Structure formats: structure tokens, C-alpha cells
Amino acid sequence: AWLRCCWKKLPPHKQITYRLRGTFIAIHAQTLIMKNALLLLLTLPLLAYQCNKDVVYTEPVNFQPVKAGSSWTYDTKNNISSATGSFTLTATSKDSSFNGRTYRVVSSTAGANVYFAKSGSDYYQLANFEALNQQLELLYLKDGLSVGTSWDQNISVNIPAIGSTTVKLTNTVVANLNSYTLNGKTFEKVIHIKTVMGNITIPGLPLAITPVTDINSYYAAGIGRIYNRSKVNIVIPTQPTINTDDETSLRTYTIVP
């Protein structure tokens, strides 16, 4: 799916000690589990040409078709390790309900199912995280908005043995494009969304963590997400810096009318 994680439980003897105004605060190293929780929210290829014109769509447009049998194959690349891969999403004929919305179940060769829903001009993705025993609902796209328009979403995440914390995501419409060319293919009516992660307060840590993020996604009318690049840098005191740079690029697709 867009969102994947690998939860690693650290040995109890590994702890992180922080000094604040002469007082030592012992914090179990499981706080580092937050790393993967944050990256799950964002998870989400190659250089592409774009026309930076703000387009006004006068007819109804669907930026995430989910009719049964539709499929999307994506190539992935980690720009730090140079690792590459691919996965395929396939829309099933099954639906699932959550938070008053009906989600279409989409299978993934990468592992867990993906769930998509559309309510008016709002597009949602639902991810089920077994390690958290929790489902997270992301409002990842709004169509029909002018360039510069933003919306916020606060995501509450329950960290095992740590507690609950809130992650704020701010999404902004960067461009409404007539066309966008990716890997030699030209897509019409494309929305470019930039996502920024706000400061993060982790229970037990004396100071909030300020992540540096550069997350860009492109969605084509009648097709869905075609391109995503997520660059995330998070500094945790006394720990190695979390630094990721992942790309996902649509290679082939079949949309059932």
C-alpha cells in the first residue's frame, strides 16, 4: 500500500537518558517506534515536465476511480540506498465501512489491502496498522480547489507502551495542471499537492521534534495517484537522524469504465 511499516521492538535494557535543568529523565528506547509511525503517514520517481497553469475544471472529475478490476503498477526507488522495487494495486468488488464512509477494498502485492473512499470533492485513504491496533484515515486530496488553498488534518497515533500523540499534516494545492508528463506518458488534468508535517510532541520527551519534510504528490483525472516523492528528515536527540527520500511512479494502469 502507500503506507508500510516494519515495527522493531528494542531490548528493554536500551534506554535513552535526557538531562533537563539538572534532572535526568529516563525514557525507554521504544520511543523510537515513533519513527515508523510517522513515516507511515507519508508514505507514500523520475523527473517530469509540468505546465504551471491554474486550470478551472468545469465538469465533474474523479481523481481516484475504484471500479472492480482497475489496476495500477508502480515503480519505487529509495534515493538514499538506491534500492528499487515495484507493486501492483487492484480494485476488488468489495467495500468496507469506516467512520460513516464506504471504502473500496484494493488489494496490493506489497502486502496489506488499501482502502479508498470519495465524499463529494474529498478523497480518503484508510490504512490498518496491526502494530498499533489502529486504523488511520487520511484526507489526502480535495479537488476543485484553487492554487494556494490548504487544509489541515490532525492524526492521533497510539504508540504501544508510550501513549498517544498527535501529528498535524498540512496539505496545499501547488498547481492545477493541464498536463503532466511522466516517463514519456502525458496525463491530463493533474493536481499537485504538497504535504508538510508539523511539530511532534512525544510523551516523555522534554522538547517537541521539528521534522523537515518535502512531500509532493500528483493525481491525474480518471486515473489516480501517478507520482509521489517523500523526503523526510527527523532529528531525535542522541539518536541517528531519520532521513528518507522515497519515490513512487506509475508505470502502467488499467481503468475499468
Side-chain angles (χ1 to χ4, degrees):
W2 307 116
L3 308 174
R4 302 177 60 193
C5 72
C6 178
W7 298 93
K8 298 181 180 180
K9 186 173 182 181
L10 301 176
H13 70 277
K14 292 187 178 179
Q15 296 189 353
I16 306 169
T17 302
Y18 293 84
R19 177 184 290 273
L20 176 63
R21 297 178 182 175
T23 302
F24 284 97
I25 303 172
I27 302 171
H28 194 283
Q30 268 187 321
T31 53
L32 295 181
I33 201 172
M34 186 63 184
K35 164 186 174 180
N36 290 319
L38 299 176
L39 298 180
L40 279 171
L41 301 177
L42 302 173
T43 334
L44 295 173
L46 303 171
L47 293 177
Y49 167 81
Q50 59 182 331
C51 173
N52 295 312
K53 180 179 179 181
D54 192 12
V55 182
V56 178
Y57 303 128
T58 57
E59 71 281 354
V61 178
N62 185 0
F63 286 86
Q64 186 54 68
V66 289
K67 193 165 184 177
S70 297
S71 64
W72 304 260
T73 295
Y74 295 89
D75 292 320
T76 62
K77 180 181 180 181
N78 182 314
N79 289 313
I80 297 176
S81 68
S82 296
T84 59
S86 65
F87 64 92
T88 298
L89 302 178
T90 303
T92 72
S93 59
K94 299 179 180 179
D95 291 328
S96 181
S97 297
F98 181 83
N99 203 21
R101 277 178 276 273
T102 299
Y103 280 84
R104 176 52 53 99
V105 180
V106 179
S107 65
S108 172
T109 58
N113 291 334
V114 180
Y115 302 83
F116 291 113
K118 183 177 184 292
S119 177
S121 60
D122 294 344
Y123 296 77
Y124 295 87
Q125 180 177 342
L126 180 65
N128 182 24
F129 303 119
E130 295 182 2
L132 294 173
N133 191 27
Q134 179 183 3
Q135 287 183 316
L136 300 180
E137 187 177 46
L138 301 178
L139 176 54
Y140 67 91
L141 177 64
K142 289 175 173 278
D143 66 39
L145 299 181
S146 298
V147 168
T149 304
S150 299
W151 70 94
D152 295 332
Q153 185 178 14
N154 292 319
I155 306 297
S156 180
V157 181
N158 295 312
I159 310 299
I162 299 298
S164 180
T165 189
T166 299
V167 178
K168 180 180 179 180
L169 301 179
T170 298
N171 304 277
T172 302
V173 179
V174 176
N176 292 316
L177 307 169
N178 274 318
S179 64
Y180 183 91
T181 300
L182 176 69
N183 297 337
K185 298 178 183 179
T186 299
F187 301 90
E188 297 182 350
K189 296 180 181 178
V190 174
I191 300 177
H192 174 191
I193 301 294
K194 183 179 180 66
T195 303
V196 175
M197 183 189 299
N199 287 349
I200 305 160
T201 301
I202 299 177
L205 288 179
L207 298 174
I209 293 175
T210 302
V212 177
T213 55
D214 185 12
I215 303 163
N216 293 274
S217 301
Y218 294 76
Y219 304 89
I223 298 174
R225 183 178 296 165
I226 60 173
Y227 173 91
N228 169 269
R229 183 167 185 172
S230 297
K231 299 172 68 175
V232 179
N233 184 278
I234 303 175
V235 177
I236 299 177
T238 77
Q239 294 299 308
T241 297
I242 299 168
N243 189 34
T244 66
D245 185 353
D246 298 310
E247 294 186 86
T248 302
S249 177
L250 183 64
R251 185 204 312 163
T252 61
Y253 62 92
T254 299
I255 304 300
V256 176

